[in-house]
Amino acid sequence: MTTPAPLPASPSLATLHYGDGEFALLRPGAYVTCAVSGVAIPLAALRYWSVERQEAYASPLEFMAAARGA
């Protein structure tokens, strides 16, 4: 498991389009926000998202919580 890189001093929220196995930057930024926990996820550490819901998740636990709530 890799350790997420620290966020820059004044990070900005990115806007992404989540695809199958990859994402595209729609608006540049340093991080996205987890749809379940609200935690900032640096783009370099982003591994979990939903293509259908277009949401990012901090870990598999948040992904599963979102899937159960759907």
Side-chain angles (χ1 to χ4, degrees), residues 18-32:
Y18 302 100
D20 292 323
E22 62 187 19
F23 54 82
L25 249 134
L26 300 177
R27 186 179 71 204
Y31 69 95
V32 292

Side-chain angles (χ1 to χ4, degrees), residues 21-65:
E22 62 187 19
F23 54 82
L25 249 134
L26 300 177
R27 186 179 71 204
Y31 69 95
V32 292
T33 304
C34 176
V36 174
S37 67
V39 170
I41 309 164
L43 294 186
L46 180 59
R47 302 285 181 269
Y48 307 99
W49 60 81
S50 168
V51 174
E52 293 80 20
R53 291 188 293 276
Q54 290 294 295
E55 297 177 333
Y57 307 106
S59 76
L61 296 175
E62 285 87 353
F63 176 81
M64 293 304 293

